[in-house]
């Protein structure tokens, strides 16, 4: 019911020209049509549609105590709890942020993980008293905002070579921008990370296992890649989410369509696109990278950049230092406020102005634009 | 009963003998005639208890009794779909307005949303119509979650709609969010299935107190640096910075096991509760609530309902899981401060409350007469009085869930509900100054057994340490999970977790046949 309300809301919000024809799948559940926000990327066969809807149902499912929610710690009892705005699979508001902690010696460094790791969960199941605390020596905290999941299957389809091709770790072209790929050692072999604020996850299947563990405290079978939590401390038998269910949910995400452009040809939008390139936003927010079949118009290079202030204190991970975040895709950005890794920017203007360090030149150039040029750039972003 | 003409029933026209001679002087310019009009051109009336008020205004007080006929039209059928309080308007001498009451008849017709009623004034000679308001169209709506109650004035309705916006507004640090917070808007937690509802486990929050003596009765209201018993999930970091620039980089406060050396900290979770219809609890008299209390179980039925009161026993609580607050203003300003870190000045404070006494244990971080303040650099109050007043209006006027329509199973379940004595505490209806409040609660505290007791006192009576207010059941199927911390995923599991005073009813439920159990659950689902 609520999903349907949200869907019609999305249609009202102006995915102009999109026909809201509903597909009825095997389970009898309504799904948005391909191309509609929250629908599959392309038309699926009846069998595929059945799997997709099963995955969507898992995504929408509220886990309770008897289902094993919590390690006992958790942030949410369903994927939908956070990824729901404006429709299932979307982003979430500031109030759905999650917290991380660490120790950086008052900013002098070096950064260290403290016992318990970086993640700080909000909750435990109702009958367990207290909640997770961090060690008292923690002196640096970072919140993380819920990103939208639309079109991630297309990002997964981009080859590692196509991502690495845009790296410039030594700024050899002297443009002040140092894109670096997140290289993770998975089961002894290097893989390029592409999901998460620090590109800490390489595939959507890994992402499902990682998020089920880290956000919901739900155990999944381990496949030796280091993302599953296969055993936890609650009394529900492990795994709490079967391999078949992981596959269904991964299939749902792999085929959850990208947000489509509004496609306005208003002069303002056209001018905004020119300014987007002229201000060098497109250096990191590369309009498209070739995917397996077609170019993927996600407006990201999937590389890490430092766009935080020079005195910023945040989390560090191997290969992703303080203030280093993956260029977030800009497709569908009109649907996913607030912005930046912790949601510090309420709107697109604030988000542009929040770009410092590698993004400083572009942000400064934006300030120098006339008011109408600034509006044009934002109109272009809202069209994506 | 004779049914009047259905459409455009022309009602008895009595030419008004009421106008004063100079009003009828020939040649007088129309613009200077006394004018009559409806207050608005369009209204809606919901199929709910209570009439919709349609106000007719005269430009100046009537010099004599003034009778004005009106015509009734539209697609809805009088006396089948609705009733009208009168057939013509009589404005008494000296008055300049009168109200027609339109009462929509509650039925099973789901087509009502397309129906409307139209009233057209037929002013006698000498009386002008102001603008286009000689006619009012009243849309007939099916009740749904999120409606206002019927009978609001246009000003109250407008305030309700503005308040709905404030309820949904997400606050940012620049607007006063923090320095500590759990949520960025009221609707963050009161979200499901529509704003005003409850939410899933993921929105749970913690309460904590510390105990400085050997018994639960010796406990403090809160742990520094929390503003109240509510434990925040986020810190905005404002307290760590010397600038006025906000960050989201602050740590959330620790929830220690002990404070001040060795005083143990007690904590418990809370699941957010729906707020539909709770404004009506303000309209239930103290004496009504107290009439159901039986603190020492003098009738020997094993049930000892007790009202949560102030120290003087004069303030009777109604709102919150422990009935720890007795008015919407208190229960609006409290969560704004505790859950969002948004400060306000009292609107009415104690002066607006008939039976409110100072209580250090209420869920506000300030006395009801005092402004709330916080440590972030945004000037207090962070929400102005206009917004606060509108938000309070939203809480006061948000209607109960739509009235139930039972099928055969539900009707059978209703009988069983009584037989297993659920309604000893979940009293189906309490009278109020706005008519019956069918919330299925007695608004009293009851012992629910040791497994549910959380040992956190809210309000003044010692029973509030372990006991909980009978939760309203109207619309309950919309608002899972259940019980104060959401530990029950289903209605049946909620029943089975009832202990203490409810043990007998629980055991009677268990003893029912499976089909009777399913009827009882059907009744709850249809509420």
């Amino acid at each position: 019911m609520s999903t349907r309300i949200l869907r019609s809301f999305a249609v009202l919000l102006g995915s102009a020209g999109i026909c809201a024809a509903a597909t009825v799948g095997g389970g009898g559940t309504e799904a948005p049509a391909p191309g509609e926000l929250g629908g599959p990327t392309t038309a699926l066969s009846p069998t595929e549609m059945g799997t997709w809807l099963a995955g969507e149902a898992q995504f929408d499912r509220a886990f309770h105590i008897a289902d094993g929610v919590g390690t006992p710690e958790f942030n949410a009892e369903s994927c939908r709890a956070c990824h729901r705005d404006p429709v299932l699979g979307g982003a979430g508001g500031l109030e759905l942020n999650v917290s991380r902690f660490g120790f950086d010696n008052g900013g002098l460094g070096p950064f260290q993980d403290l016992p318990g790791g970086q993640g700080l969960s909000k909750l435990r199941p109702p009958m367990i008293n207290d909640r997770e605390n961090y060690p008292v020596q923690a002196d640096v905290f970072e919140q993380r905002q819920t990103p939208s999941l639309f079109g991630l299957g297309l990002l997964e389809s981009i080859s590692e070579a196509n991502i690495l091709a845009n790296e410039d770790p030594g700024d050899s072209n002297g443009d002040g921008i140092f894109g670096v790929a997140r290289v993770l050692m998975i089961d002894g072999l290097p893989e390029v990370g592409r999901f998460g604020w620090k590109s800490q996850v390489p595939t959507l299947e890994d992402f499902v296992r990682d998020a089920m563990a880290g956000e919901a405290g739900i155990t999944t079978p381990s496949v030796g890649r280091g993302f599953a939590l296969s055993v936890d401390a609650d009394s529900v038998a492990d795994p709490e989410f079967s391999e078949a269910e992981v596959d269904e949910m991964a299939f749902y995400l792999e085929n959850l369509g990208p947000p489509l452009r509004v496609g306005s040809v208003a002069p303002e939008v056209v001018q905004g696109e020119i300014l987007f390139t002229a201000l060098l936003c497109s250096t990191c927010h590369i309009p498209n990278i070739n995917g397996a079949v077609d170019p993927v118009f996600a407006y990201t290079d999937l590389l890490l950049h430092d766009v935080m202030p020079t005195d910023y204190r945040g989390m560090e991970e191997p290969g992703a230092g303080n203030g280093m975040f993956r260029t977030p895709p800009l497709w569908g950005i009109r649907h996913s406020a607030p912005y930046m890794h912790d949601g510090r920017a309420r709107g697109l203007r604030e988000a542009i102005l929040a770009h410092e360090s590698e993004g400083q030149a572009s942000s400064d150039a934006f300030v120098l634009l006339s008011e109408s040029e600034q509006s044009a750039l934002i109109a272009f972003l809202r069209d994506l | 009963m004779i049914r009047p003409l259905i459409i455009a029933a022309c009602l008895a026209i009595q030419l008004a003998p009421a106008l004063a001679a100079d009003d009828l002087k020939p040649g007088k310019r129309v613009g200077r005639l006394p004018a009559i009009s409806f207050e608005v051109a369009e209204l809606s009336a919901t199929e709910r208890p209570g009439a919709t008020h349609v106000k007719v205004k005269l430009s100046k007080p009537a010099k004599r009794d003034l009778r004005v006929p009106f015509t009734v039209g539209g697609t809805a059928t009088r006396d089948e779909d609705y009733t009208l309080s009168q057939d013509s308007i009589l404005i008494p001498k000296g008055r300049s307005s009168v109200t027609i009451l339109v009462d929509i008849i509650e039925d099973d017709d789901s087509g009502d949303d397309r129906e409307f009623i139209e009233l057209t004034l037929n002013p006698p000679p000498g009386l002008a119509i102001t603008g286009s308001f000689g006619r009012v169209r009243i849309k007939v709506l099916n009740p749904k979650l999120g409606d206002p109650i019927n009978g609001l004035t246009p000003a109250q309705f407008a305030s309700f709609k503005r308040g709905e916006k404030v309820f949904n507004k997400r606050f940012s640090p620049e607007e006063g969010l923090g320095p500590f917070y759990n949520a960025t808007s009221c609707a963050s937690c009161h979200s499901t299935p529509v704003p005003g509802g409850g939410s899933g486990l993921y929105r749970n929050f913690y309460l904590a107190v510390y105990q400085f003596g050997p018994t639960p009765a010796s406990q403090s209201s809160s742990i520094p640096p929390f503003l109240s018993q509510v434990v925040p999930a986020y810190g905005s970091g404002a307290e760590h910075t010397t600038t006025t620039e906000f960050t989201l980089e602050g740590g959330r406060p620790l929830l220690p096991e002990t404070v001040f050396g060795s005083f143990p900290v007690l904590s418990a979770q809370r699941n957010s509760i729906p707020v539909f219809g709770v404004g009506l609890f303000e309209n239930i008299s103290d004496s009504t609530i107290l009439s159901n209390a039986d603190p020492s179980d003098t009738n020997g039925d094993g049930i000892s309902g007790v009202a949560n009161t102030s120290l003087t026993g004069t303030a009777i609580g109604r709102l919150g899981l422990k009935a720890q607050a007795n008015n919407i203003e208190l229960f609006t300003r409290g969560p704004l401060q505790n859950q969002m870190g948004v400060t306000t000045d009292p609107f009415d404070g104690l002066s607006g409350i008939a039976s409110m006494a100072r209580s250090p244990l209420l869920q506000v971080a300030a006395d009801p007469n005092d402004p709330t303040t916080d440590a972030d650099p945004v000037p207090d109050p962070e929400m102005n009085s206009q917004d606060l007043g509108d938000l309070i209006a939203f809480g006061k006027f948000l209607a109960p869930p739509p009235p139930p329509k039972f099928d055969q199973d539900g009707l059978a379940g209703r009988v069983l509900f009584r037989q297993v004595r659920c309604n000893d505490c979940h009293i189906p209806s309490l009278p109020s100054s706005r008519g019956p409040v069918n919330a299925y609660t007695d608004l009293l505290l009851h012992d629910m057994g040791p497994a549910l007791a959380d040992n956190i006192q809210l309000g003044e009576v010692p029973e509030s340490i372990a006991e909980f207010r009978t939760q309203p059941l109207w619309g309950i199927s919309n608002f899972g999970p259940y019980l104060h911390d959401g530990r029950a995923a289903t209605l049946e599991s909620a029943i089975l977790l009832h202990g203490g005073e409810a043990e007998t009813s629980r055991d009677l439920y268990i003893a029912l046949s499976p089909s009777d159990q399913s009827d009882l659950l059907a009744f709850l689902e249809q509420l």
Side-chain angles (χ1 to χ4, degrees), chain A residues 156-174:
Chain A
E156 194 175 41
S157 76
I158 295 168
S159 71
E160 292 194 348
N162 285 352
I163 297 172
L164 295 170
N166 292 311
E167 274 198 301
D168 185 15
D171 190 19
S172 55
N173 64 2

Side-chain angles (χ1 to χ4, degrees), chain A residues 84 95 97 124 132 134, chain B residues 184 202-203 234 252 269:
Chain A
R84 63 177 183 185
E95 74 279 4
N97 278 8
R124 288 178 175 162
E132 186 181 13
Y134 50 83
Chain B
T184 58
Y202 72 100
R203 274 270 152 243
Y234 300 110
R252 72 182 186 197
Q269 286 192 36

Side-chain angles (χ1 to χ4, degrees), chain A residues 59 79-98 144-150 197 335-346, chain B residues 170 184 188 202-203 234:
Chain A
F59 192 87
C79 305
R80 169 246 293 154
C82 302
H83 295 284
R84 63 177 183 185
D85 205 0
V87 297
L88 207 62
L94 201 60
E95 74 279 4
L96 297 164
N97 278 8
V98 297
R144 298 280 173 82
Q145 213 258 329
T146 312
S148 115
L149 306 179
F150 300 123
W197 283 106
H335 298 303
S336 65
Y339 305 110
M340 311 305 282
H341 68 276
D342 54 7
R344 62 181 59 197
R346 286 170 292 179
Chain B
R170 284 178 176 168
T184 58
S188 293
Y202 72 100
R203 274 270 152 243
Y234 300 110

Side-chain angles (χ1 to χ4, degrees), chain B residues 308-518:
Chain B
N308 202 350
T309 70
S310 66
L311 283 172
T312 55
T314 53
I316 307 298
R318 295 150 164 75
L319 307 172
L321 283 162
K322 297 208 174 196
Q324 69 269 27
N326 76 341
N327 66 88
I328 298 289
E329 175 171 334
L330 198 63
F331 220 66
T332 303
R333 295 185 60 225
L336 278 174
Q337 168 82 312
N338 302 328
Q339 304 286 7
M340 294 162 61
V342 171
T343 58
T344 54
D345 287 350
F347 195 67
D348 283 333
L350 285 176
S351 66
I353 303 163
S355 57
M356 185 70 225
R358 185 192 168 104
S359 166
L361 292 182
L362 287 166
Q363 276 285 88
V364 211
D367 184 274
N369 277 336
D370 293 337
T372 51
T373 56
D374 64 18
D376 67 35
V378 178
D380 301 317
E382 292 156 345
M383 179 184 284
N384 64 40
S385 290
Q386 168 80 51
D387 285 354
L388 177 65
D390 290 337
L391 190 57
I392 292 168
F394 179 72
K396 278 183 193 288
F397 301 143
L398 185 61
K405 290 166 184 170
F406 301 113
D407 64 14
Q408 286 307 311
D409 292 349
L411 289 171
R414 184 162 69 177
V415 174
L416 292 159
F417 185 79
R418 199 162 49 234
Q419 278 173 10
V420 305
R421 297 176 43 208
C422 305
N423 66 348
D424 285 358
C425 302
H426 291 286
I427 297 178
S429 184
L430 294 175
S432 84
S433 56
R434 276 192 186 265
V437 177
N438 305 320
Y440 289 83
T441 175
D442 57 7
L443 299 177
L444 299 173
L445 301 177
H446 295 277
D447 174 16
M448 294 285 284
L452 282 168
D454 68 355
N455 294 321
I456 291 183
Q457 181 169 5
L458 291 175
E460 304 288 5
V461 299
E463 285 85 348
S464 80
I465 293 170
E467 302 191 353
F468 291 95
R469 181 197 65 170
T470 307
Q471 182 65 3
L473 299 182
W474 51 13
I476 190 78
S477 61
N478 294 298
F479 309 128
Y482 304 108
L483 301 175
H484 67 275
D485 54 11
R487 70 178 66 183
T490 63
L491 285 167
E492 179 161 46
S493 129
I495 294 172
L496 298 176
L497 288 168
H498 277 58
E501 296 174 40
E503 214 170 297
T504 310
S505 289
R506 180 197 64 198
D507 292 345
L508 286 169
Y509 171 82
I510 293 170
L512 291 178
S513 72
S515 83
D516 283 352
Q517 288 181 348
S518 120

Side-chain angles (χ1 to χ4, degrees), chain A residues 18-101:
Chain A
I18 291 170
C19 176
T23 309
V24 176
T29 321
E30 269 183 45
E36 195 182 334
L37 201 63
T41 313
T42 55
L44 299 174
S45 74
T47 317
E48 289 171 331
M49 197 61 194
T51 310
W52 193 83
L53 288 170
E56 186 194 40
Q58 293 293 354
F59 192 87
D60 196 25
R61 168 179 166 194
F63 289 78
H64 212 270
I65 306 163
D67 305 313
V69 75
T71 62
E73 275 83 33
F74 68 102
N75 283 317
E77 88 284 35
S78 67
C79 305
R80 169 246 293 154
C82 302
H83 295 284
R84 63 177 183 185
D85 205 0
V87 297
L88 207 62
L94 201 60
E95 74 279 4
L96 297 164
N97 278 8
V98 297
S99 303
R100 296 191 166 236
F101 69 91

